[in-house]
């Protein structure tokens, strides 16, 4: 009883000392009443008492984060504007540290006000014992869950219940990463090597990857769902190194090094989205959610991985490619951070083609023809003053299903006239702008984003995807001089107000170029964006 009274008196003395010395701590930026071996402390200032308290708490938590990482962490802002805006991948880094204030033993001990400076001060302290013991309890609970889930995953693997095993292994990774983050904080707040030696570490992840590798090798009992699960695990383990809980958006998966997709792209994305959706610590923003956001907000983006993450308000974008290797397919993926544009990690997997239904095509339809058309468009216009950029609402290589609405965007560096030609999977060249609903020669203004087929299209023109399906191109031809119309013998008006051009790409390019460059002081430019149209997903 005597011991308790002495201890209580000590606490009272510390509190009273802090209160009586408040002028000292606000001047010296530290209170002697809270020794470093027992407490961490921080001073915050602001125009209001509430602001000073918030700054003090944030600074203390940030101090822990900086001691762990050795550097500041950053957030960023994107240039997102209204109906005529564009999201770009040029992000502005700001030194706003993102930290967690979920620390037990963290409190505001005292406040002060300097009348002369008209500034409020707040003293935040963290009791090392209280915070440290709470962290140890959390680590112990997570360690128990990790070991239980690992045991269940091993049992399910032996039973060849691979999908269920992978789900358990995902949870194992999540718990391991959480343990690692808490251990890093514990080393700063209340170092305890004996405790740390008795809990699971990141090194234990080798036990998980050993099971995953065995699952990946068992092609006899595998399928694309299991392969997507293996790939998702590999992606998640990389992603979890940088984030605890976060959101991702699934970007494009293109054929080889091209910017072209196929029916397999849509099929694969659906599988990855489904597997990613099983991870409780991740929010998956799917393609349909993006389409709905674009439609409701009228926002445009530049087609980059960062731009896609920005409009989705996601932390990162998963993107990749796939390669045809005789009897196998190799899928290569990477995770692009929204704020930096840097790769957070990559993951690859090789699967037998037998995992994919025969009705799903791997190679983009009319691939060779599109390659030839792209080669035609990559000729000697680099020295021209005029530059034109064209993209769609799903970016270069985007996948559209039957009945999807497509929106095309244009932007030039100087005022110019434009014609847009849609080269469909059937080999047809269709003039989609100007169309029957628009003026014949519309001049677009420099550095302004123009929409064809969107809600803000002045002509109210709408473009809906339909058969034939396959790899397709949108080709933009621009000139500082008005581009003459095709002669009537070269075009047929279609039911939807568009015009079918009865010439091949080479002839169209030649006709446009000759008509423009024959004019004195005329400047000509061209650009293209690829896309893939596919049948609606079977239910």
């Amino acid at each position: 009883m005597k011991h308790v009274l002495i201890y209580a008196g000590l606490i009272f003395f510390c509190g009273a000392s802090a209160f009586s010395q408040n002028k000292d701590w606000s001047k010296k930026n530290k209170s002697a009443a809270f020794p470093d071996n027992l407490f961490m402390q921080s001073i915050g200032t602001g125009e209001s008492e509430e602001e000073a308290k918030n700054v003090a708490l944030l600074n203390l938590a940030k101090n822990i984060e900086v001691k762990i990482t050795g550097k500041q962490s950053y957030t960023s802002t994107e240039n997102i504007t209204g109906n005529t805006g564009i999201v770009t991948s040029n992000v502005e880094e700001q030194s706003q540290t993102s930290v967690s204030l979920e620390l037990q033993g963290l409190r505001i001990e005292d406040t002060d006000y300097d009348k002369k400076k008209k500034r409020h001060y707040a003293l935040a302290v963290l009791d090392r014992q209280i915070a440290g013991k709470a962290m140890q309890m959390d680590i112990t609970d997570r360690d128990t869950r990790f070991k239980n889930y690992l045991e269940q995953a091993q049992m399910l693997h032996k039973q060849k219940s691979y999908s269920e095993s992978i789900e358990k292994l995902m949870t194992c990774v999540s718990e391991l990463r959480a343990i690692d983050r808490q251990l890093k904080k514990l080393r700063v707040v209340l170092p305890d090597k004996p405790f740390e030696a008795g809990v699971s570490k990141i090194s234990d992840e080798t036990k998980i990857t050993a099971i995953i590798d065995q699952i990946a090798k068992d092609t006899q009992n595998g399928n694309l769902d299991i392969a997507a699960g293996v790939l998702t695990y590999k992606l998640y383990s990389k992603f979890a190194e940088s984030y605890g809980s976060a959101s991702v958006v699934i970007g494009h998966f293109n054929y080889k090094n091209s910017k072209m997709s196929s029916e397999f792209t849509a099929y694969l994305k659906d599988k990855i989205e489904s597997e990613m959706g099983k991870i409780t610590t991740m929010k998956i923003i799917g393609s349909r959610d993006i389409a709905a956001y674009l439609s409701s907000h009228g926002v445009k983006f530049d087609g980059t991985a960062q731009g896609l993450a920005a409009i989705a308000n996601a932390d990162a974008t998963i993107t990749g490619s796939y390669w045809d290797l005789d009897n196998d397919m190799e899928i290569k993926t990477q995770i692009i951070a929204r704020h930096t544009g840097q790769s957070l990690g990559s993951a690859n997997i090789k699967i037998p083609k037998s995992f994919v239904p025969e009705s799903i095509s791997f190679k983009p339809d009319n691939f060779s023809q599109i390659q030839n058309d792209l080669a035609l468009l990559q000729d000697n216009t680099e020295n021209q003053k005029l530059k034109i950029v064209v993209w769609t609402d799903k970016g270069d290589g985007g996948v559209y299903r039957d009945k999807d609405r497509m929106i095309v965007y244009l932007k030039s560096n100087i005022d110019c006239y434009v014609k847009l030609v849609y080269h469909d999977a059937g080999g047809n060249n269709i003039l989609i702008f100007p169309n029957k609903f628009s003026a014949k020669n519309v001049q677009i203004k420099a550095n302004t984003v123009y929409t064809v087929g969107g809600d803000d299209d002045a002509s109210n023109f709408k473009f809906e995807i339909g058969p034939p399906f396959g790899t397709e191109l949108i080709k933009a031809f621009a000139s500082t001089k008005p581009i003459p119309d095709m002669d009537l013998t070269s075009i047929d008006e279609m039911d939807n107000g568009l015009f079918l051009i009865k010439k091949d790409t080479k002839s169209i390019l030649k006709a446009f170029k000759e008509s423009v460059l024959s004019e004195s002081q005329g400047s000509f430019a061209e650009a293209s964006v690829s896309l893939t149209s596919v049948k609606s997903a079977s239910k």
Side-chain angles (χ1 to χ4, degrees), residues 138-139 142 173-183:
D138 180 60
I139 291 169
R142 291 185 180 278
V173 172
S174 177
E175 296 296 350
L176 267 187
R177 297 296 179 186
I179 289 171
D180 183 59
R181 285 188 290 272
Q182 285 288 59
L183 282 175

Side-chain angles (χ1 to χ4, degrees), residues 163-175:
S163 293
E164 292 84 353
S165 179
I166 293 170
E167 284 189 52
K168 300 297 181 184
L169 294 174
M170 295 279 197
T171 307
C172 286
V173 172
S174 177
E175 296 296 350

Side-chain angles (χ1 to χ4, degrees), residues 304-522:
T304 65
Q306 276 183 283
L308 186 60
I311 62 170
N313 195 27
D315 295 298
T317 299
I318 293 174
T319 185
S321 60
Y322 58 96
W323 299 70
D324 191 339
L325 305 173
D326 296 326
N327 296 322
D328 297 323
M329 293 293 296
E330 185 174 12
I331 303 167
K332 301 180 179 181
T333 61
Q334 61 176 330
I335 310 165
I336 306 298
R338 167 186 172 183
H339 298 142
T340 65
Q342 301 298 311
S343 175
L344 297 175
S346 60
N348 303 338
I349 189 172
K350 189 183 292 185
I351 62 170
K353 287 183 177 178
S354 59
F355 280 10
V356 182
E358 292 183 2
S359 59
I360 303 294
S361 60
F362 295 112
K363 190 174 181 179
D365 295 332
N366 57 302
F367 178 73
S368 298
Q369 179 60 50
I370 294 297
Q371 289 286 76
N372 292 336
D373 284 353
L374 283 172
L376 285 173
L377 296 173
Q378 295 171 354
D379 62 357
N380 54 2
T381 61
E382 290 81 5
N383 297 325
Q384 296 290 326
K385 294 180 181 179
L386 176 62
K387 304 294 179 184
I388 184 78
V389 182
V390 59
W391 69 99
T392 72
D393 57 310
K394 293 192 177 182
D396 208 357
V399 177
Y400 292 84
R401 298 186 186 276
D402 188 20
K403 304 299 183 184
D404 278 354
R405 179 178 168 190
M406 181 176 68
I407 305 173
V408 185
Y409 303 109
L410 290 165
K411 188 179 181 181
S412 64
N413 61 331
I414 56 180
D415 295 357
C416 66
Y417 299 88
V418 177
K419 287 190 185 293
L420 286 180
V421 177
Y422 176 49
H423 183 86
D424 73 10
N428 302 304
N429 284 300
I430 302 168
L431 184 66
I432 61 174
F433 183 81
N435 52 62
K436 185 178 180 181
F437 307 102
S438 64
K440 285 189 175 181
N441 270 308
V442 178
Q443 187 180 47
I444 68 173
K445 300 300 180 183
N447 301 315
T448 303
V449 178
Y450 282 80
T451 302
V452 177
D455 290 334
D456 53 344
D457 185 338
S459 68
N460 293 319
F461 166 68
K462 302 292 184 292
F463 193 96
E464 190 176 90
I465 294 295
F469 302 113
T471 305
E472 303 178 320
L473 285 178
I474 302 290
K475 296 171 284 194
F477 302 99
S479 170
T480 51
K481 300 288 184 179
I483 304 175
D485 292 330
M486 288 282 182
D487 62 85
L488 295 178
T489 60
S490 298
I491 61 171
D492 281 337
E493 185 174 334
M494 303 174 69
D495 293 338
N496 53 6
L498 305 181
F499 300 98
L500 176 65
I501 304 173
K502 295 182 289 187
K503 289 186 176 183
D504 61 25
T505 302
K506 187 175 182 179
S507 300
I508 294 171
L509 178 61
K510 182 180 178 181
F512 284 161
K513 261 183 145 178
E514 288 180 349
S515 63
V516 171
L517 296 183
S518 62
E519 301 285 339
S520 59
Q521 298 180 346

Side-chain angles (χ1 to χ4, degrees), residues 69-82:
T69 62
K71 60 183 180 180
Q72 302 282 350
S73 58
Y74 296 95
T75 60
S76 63
T77 57
E78 287 78 26
N79 172 29
I80 304 177
T81 55

